[in-house]
Amino acid sequence: MARKSAAPQRRTDQLSRDTIVAAAIDLLDASGEDGLTFRALSERLSTGAGAIYWHIANKNELLTAACDALIARTLTMSATAATPEDTIRALALNLFDAIDAHPWVGSALARALGQMPMVRILESLGRPIRDLGVPARDQWTTVGALLNYILGVGGRNAANGQLARTQGLDRSDFLETVSAAWSGLDPVAFPFARGLAAQVRTHDDREDFLAGIDLILRGIAAPRPRRRG
Amino acid sequence: MARKSAAPQRRTDQLSRDTIVAAAIDLLDASGEDGLTFRALSERLSTGAGAIYWHIANKNELLTAACDALIARTLTMSATAATPEDTIRALALNLFDAIDAHPWVGSALARALGQMPMVRILESLGRPIRDLGVPARDQWTTVGALLNYILGVGGRNAANGQLARTQGLDRSDFLETVSAAWSGLDPVAFPFARGLAAQVRTHDDREDFLAGIDLILRGIAAPRPRRRG
DNA sequence: ACCTGAACACCGTTCAAGT
DNA sequence: ACCTGAACACCGTTCAAGT
């Protein structure tokens, strides 16, 4: 008697939230944000599509959980350095590298507002800021500035990764395209952007990111005006 | 003779890219990112679903075009102020307000990398930075820091707007939830985040955003170390 | 040249039915 | 308690056929 299609192997052990999240991370790393579907996930887990919903509420929760697992891993890696500044620099770089290696984390973070991954980052960033001597009333603004800068870069990295995947361009191809487009801009309407075309081609993302962190650190160290005293 | 359903009125004038983009903006404003579908759009334009593809390549291009129209509008609004600092502040605030009023712009911008909306912002931000006396070799880093901070805040705003829409929470409800969750954090593992709970409830997004801009401006003004002389 | 609208190949999510 | 997998209500995009 002929069967319509090969019966899929079903797993014998129980599914768990952690197993699902781990599989989701594999899928996201392998095929990007669009690659994470409940169908692909259930196939990889040798289970039915609906089974996942017993352990996780919906796709958004799954994405946040995957993001949190990765962020937690990244942050525990970041030991305390010699100075608060160095701690912040090291932490920021670890986050940059994590988002660079897993672009989907960049956009997942943006959606995970008051939730765990954000809280973890806030906490890790907050301690060295406190140690820097930033007064309590300025801590929220300060951590916010650093966090938003980091998330901004992360979002751009995520977009880069997504673009590279869908267009099949590698990094230097992409930069070449942007640089060429910018050199072609109207010199009257866009003098500044036009002048940037050369720098776009040769810049180092990681170095620029760190330079931005240093700029913000200088801003934190600089005395606030209108204090009179 | 009974018809299956009311035959839709079809438009008599020609469709154009601008008409489509304008309708897309209306739809995005009215029902958020998820509200923009080719079916909803074609209904609003009294045309067939496939007709839009004659004028616009795909959804991504449509989103970028909508974003660009709004950004162009926002930037021409931003006149030059008394000082470069004030010009940057005014520009940043205009962008903040635009993203606040149209949250979808926040996430659309992240995806519009080397394209027009980004170039426009870069250009508007770049001139006052040049006027500030930032040397050519630091201009890319400087404009990048400001841009990424602004985009980071924009991304967060976009997420806020999306959340408010889907959960049906208003701003203060949402902040209340976050604040409550943070007060409940483990005081040993998360002392800093816990201490922020109170500030979360009462803070002013717009003011904090501007404080971050000021912090970065101080960083730009601060002398760079390791110059020796 | 421009538009129609059915069709295709997908989605996330639900839920009766099974064990 | 946990899982199955068909079914539902959608998507973006394509394309033969019309004008």
Side-chain angles (χ1 to χ4, degrees):
Chain A
M1 190 195 287
R3 276 180 297 152
K4 277 275 167 61
S5 61
Q9 281 288 123
R10 294 284 85 146
R11 54 169 36 239
T12 50
D13 56 327
Q14 248 197 216
L15 221 50
S16 77
R17 195 185 152 95
D18 285 349
T19 326
I20 295 172
V21 169
I25 290 177
D26 285 349
L27 220 44
L28 285 162
D29 283 343
S31 27
E33 294 190 56
D34 295 344
L36 179 62
T37 69
F38 278 79
R39 281 167 180 80
L41 191 59
S42 64
E43 190 174 355
R44 175 177 285 250
L45 288 167
S46 309
T47 185
I52 296 159
Y53 284 89
W54 187 262
H55 301 275
I56 271 169
N58 52 43
K59 186 167 181 175
N60 201 49
E61 189 184 304
L62 179 56
L63 215 56
T64 304
C67 184
D68 192 43
L70 218 122
I71 290 294
R73 214 185 287 164
T74 305
L75 293 180
T76 48
M77 217 175 68
S78 312
T80 313
T83 66
E85 281 97 338
D86 282 344
T87 305
I88 291 175
R89 266 187 278 262
L91 180 61
L93 267 187
N94 278 340
L95 282 171
F96 178 91
D97 290 336
I99 298 177
D100 195 50
H102 314 273
W104 54 271
V105 172
S107 43
L109 264 180
R111 249 168 285 151
L113 257 169
Q115 299 181 273
M116 272 320 281
M118 218 54 142
V119 171
R120 280 189 220 282
I121 298 178
L122 223 57
E123 184 68 33
S124 311
L125 233 34
R127 294 183 201 203
I129 283 176
R130 207 216 298 111
D131 296 346
L132 231 36
V134 174
R137 55 182 288 276
D138 293 338
Q139 287 178 4
W140 169 258
T141 303
T142 308
V143 79
L146 271 171
L147 187 65
N148 279 312
Y149 171 73
I150 294 172
L151 290 184
V153 176
R156 285 262 292 287
N157 264 14
N160 269 332
Q162 174 75 3
L163 203 119
R165 180 177 304 282
T166 57
Q167 317 271 72
L169 293 171
D170 73 354
R171 202 190 109 84
S172 67
D173 284 344
F174 171 67
L175 291 181
E176 202 55 50
T177 314
V178 172
S179 178
W182 288 10
S183 334
L185 286 169
D186 178 357
V188 176
F190 299 101
F192 185 82
R194 220 176 111 91
L196 250 34
Q199 284 184 64
V200 153
R201 198 177 0 231
T202 58
H203 84 280
D204 177 325
D205 281 336
R206 204 163 179 270
E207 223 166 73
D208 286 349
F209 170 72
L210 202 55
I213 293 284
D214 282 337
L215 192 153
I216 295 177
L217 285 175
R218 285 202 295 282
I220 295 175
R224 293 186 62 181
R226 108 178 68 181
R227 254 295 205 83
R228 276 310 164 103
Chain B
M1 194 196 285
R3 276 180 296 152
K4 278 272 168 64
S5 61
Q9 282 289 123
R10 295 284 85 147
R11 56 172 31 240
T12 51
D13 57 327
Q14 248 198 216
L15 219 50
S16 77
R17 194 184 152 95
D18 286 349
T19 327
I20 294 172
V21 170
I25 291 176
D26 285 351
L27 220 43
L28 285 162
D29 283 344
S31 27
E33 295 189 54
D34 296 344
L36 180 63
T37 69
F38 278 80
R39 282 168 180 79
L41 192 57
S42 63
E43 189 174 356
R44 175 177 285 251
L45 288 167
S46 309
T47 184
I52 295 159
Y53 283 88
W54 187 263
H55 302 272
I56 272 168
N58 51 44
K59 188 168 180 174
N60 200 50
E61 189 184 304
L62 179 56
L63 215 56
T64 304
C67 185
D68 192 43
L70 218 122
I71 290 294
R73 214 185 287 165
T74 305
L75 292 181
T76 48
M77 217 174 69
S78 313
T80 312
T83 66
E85 281 95 341
D86 282 344
T87 305
I88 291 174
R89 266 187 278 263
L91 180 60
L93 266 187
N94 279 341
L95 282 171
F96 179 90
D97 290 337
I99 297 177
D100 195 50
H102 314 273
W104 54 271
V105 172
S107 42
L109 263 182
R111 250 167 285 151
L113 257 168
Q115 298 181 275
M116 272 321 278
M118 218 55 141
V119 172
R120 281 190 219 282
I121 298 178
L122 222 57
E123 185 68 33
S124 311
L125 231 36
R127 294 185 202 203
I129 283 176
R130 207 216 298 111
D131 297 347
L132 230 36
V134 174
R137 55 184 289 275
D138 293 337
Q139 287 178 3
W140 168 260
T141 304
T142 309
V143 78
L146 270 171
L147 187 64
N148 279 312
Y149 171 73
I150 294 172
L151 290 184
V153 176
R156 285 263 291 288
N157 263 15
N160 270 332
Q162 173 75 3
L163 203 119
R165 180 177 304 281
T166 56
Q167 317 271 72
L169 293 171
D170 74 354
R171 201 189 111 84
S172 68
D173 284 345
F174 171 67
L175 291 182
E176 201 56 50
T177 313
V178 172
S179 178
W182 289 10
S183 339
L185 286 169
D186 177 357
V188 176
F190 299 101
F192 185 82
R194 222 176 110 93
L196 249 36
Q199 285 184 61
V200 153
R201 196 177 2 230
T202 58
H203 83 278
D204 178 325
D205 282 336
R206 204 164 179 272
E207 221 166 74
D208 286 349
F209 171 72
L210 202 55
I213 294 284
D214 282 338
L215 192 152
I216 295 177
L217 285 174
R218 285 203 296 282
I220 295 175
R224 294 185 63 183
R226 107 180 65 181
R227 254 296 204 80
R228 274 310 164 102

